[in-house]
């Protein structure tokens, strides 16, 4: 598989490269190295984790907005940038009772 990638890079930005890509997508490889499988699985898990964090951040923002609380751009940025699910879960719990969105970040 690595030789296929080297070949593609070597073809540059040409019509031959496009044909090569089309040919390579029609092939199926029966052998998958353990390292390639592990990297793929790690990438899949990382993507799932990112998706969970995005969903949780969205839930925090939704609760705040549905409660009629103003969410500043800085608060929104902090919530959407967070990738720690435990922190986001805490913020979601607090979102139901805080008086202002910025209070999410205050420790009880």
């Amino acid at each position: 598989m690595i030789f296929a990638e080297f070949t593609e890079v070597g073809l540059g930005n040409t019509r031959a490269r496009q044909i090569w890509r089309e040919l390579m997508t029609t092939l199926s490889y029966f052998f998958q190295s353990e390292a390639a499988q592990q990297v793929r699985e790690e990438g899949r898990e990382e993507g799932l984790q990112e998706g969970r964090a995005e969903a949780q951040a969205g839930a925090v923002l939704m609760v705040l907005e549905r409660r009629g609380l103003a969410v500043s751009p800085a608060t929104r940025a902090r919530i959407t940038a967070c990738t720690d699910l435990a922190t986001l879960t805490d913020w979601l719990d607090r979102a139901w009772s805080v008086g202002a969105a910025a209070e999410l970040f205050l420790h009880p």
Side-chain angles (χ1 to χ4, degrees), residues 59-82:
V60 171
L61 292 170
M62 183 180 68
V63 169
L64 293 171
E65 290 165 358
R66 295 258 170 99
R67 291 189 57 227
L69 299 177
V71 179
S72 71
T75 297
R76 181 177 300 279
R78 184 169 175 185
I79 292 168
T80 57
C82 183

Side-chain angles (χ1 to χ4, degrees), residues 20-75:
W20 178 257
R21 281 184 173 177
E22 291 169 7
L23 286 171
M24 295 309 293
T25 59
T26 62
L27 299 176
S28 64
Y29 293 93
F30 296 105
F31 172 74
Q32 296 282 333
S33 73
E34 188 175 321
Q37 290 174 13
Q38 182 178 357
V39 167
R40 189 174 299 108
E41 184 58 35
E42 288 171 2
R44 184 177 298 120
E45 184 57 38
E46 184 178 317
L48 288 171
Q49 195 73 359
E50 289 173 7
R52 288 181 193 115
E54 287 176 14
Q56 194 78 328
V60 171
L61 292 170
M62 183 180 68
V63 169
L64 293 171
E65 290 165 358
R66 295 258 170 99
R67 291 189 57 227
L69 299 177
V71 179
S72 71
T75 297

